[in-house]
Amino acid sequence: MKRLNISVVIILTILGLLLTTSFYAKQTGLKTSPLSRKGQLIKVVRELEQKRERLKNDLKELRASLTEEEKRAASERGELTSFTKELQDLKTEAGFAAVNGPGIEVTLEDNPTVPSGEDPNNYIIHDYDLRAVINALWSGNAEAIAVNDQRLISTSAVRCVGTTILANFIRLGTPYVIKAAGNPDELEKSLNRDRHASLLLNSYAKSFGLRVKVTKVSGLKLPPYEGSLKVEYAKTLGEQ
Amino acid sequence: MKLYLLPLLGLLVGIFLGFVLKIPIPPAYVRYLGIAVLAALDSAFGGLRASLEKQFNDRLFITGFFSNTILAAFIVYIGDRLGVEELYLAAVVAFGVRMFQNLALIRRSIFKRWHWE
């Protein structure tokens, strides 16, 4: 017992340090566990989406008042009328005005029941499926296209992030409704002519039970693009 | 009596330091630390028992403390490397059983010392 010296004291100090450190390690380990981190991330995404909705509504109001101002200016001064008309046409072409007219509606829906042992990937609609249909519709001279009421403009992208499809950075869900304004016959022909689109709409739909519907509509309504369009890097060149 | 208190004081100082420093441990190493703490606790109980049985050897205690701790963490590491994550159970069982044994012996020594038998 007499040999109990300072080293033993040091060792026990280390033991105490180890004990409390591991106690805290367990605590922080729980805090940063993947599960709670996932919850936090989901919360962040929800908050940001809500914020985006608010901003989108603001933008919508501002755009509406802008159009109002333009109209008033046109009625006040005669020479502006033709410019306003041109502006409206350009807005329609660019996808910033709601349009209606004849066209085609393509509905794509996942097969809700996947036979056991089969790859579930074959039974759902993918981003590339949507792109195939959209591209076929554009090549059929579609004048305006909207996916689940997301109007596609020149900078729109339909892409896949994780397990969801985004269009204009908005999440889409099955069923996917693609509305395209244009000549319905021409659009349908184009869908059949396009290799990917026709494969999807005819053979894949049958073999994998995807719910696919193509209907010609006489009075389609397409909403305007509601996102922002901030041109930050691209500079306009003078007319040459 | 003072000789008893000094290591105890060390333990308290260590615990206090741990509370104050709050050394962050990456989650991947928490398991290693846990096993190492178990080994260290085992050594401490072993030392207490030895001192009660008047067989305490400080060199044996110090080397045992460090070798047990390092070996325990090493076993976890080897288990992870081999894909046998359960290998750490071997360390847990070994140290657990020894700790209970030591505790029983400590109890017995105390009984003997205070003539409670």
Side-chain angles (χ1 to χ4, degrees), chain A residues 175-192:
Chain A
Y176 304 99
V177 182
I178 303 169
K179 291 180 190 165
N183 181 342
D185 297 319
E186 206 182 332
L187 290 171
E188 193 182 36
K189 219 181 284 166
S190 181
L191 279 178
N192 288 323

Side-chain angles (χ1 to χ4, degrees), chain B residues 100-112:
Chain B
F100 278 114
Q101 252 169 12
N102 281 336
L103 269 175
L105 289 169
I106 288 165
R107 205 156 37 84
R108 224 155 280 182
S109 306
I110 290 172
F111 268 57
K112 215 176 255 171

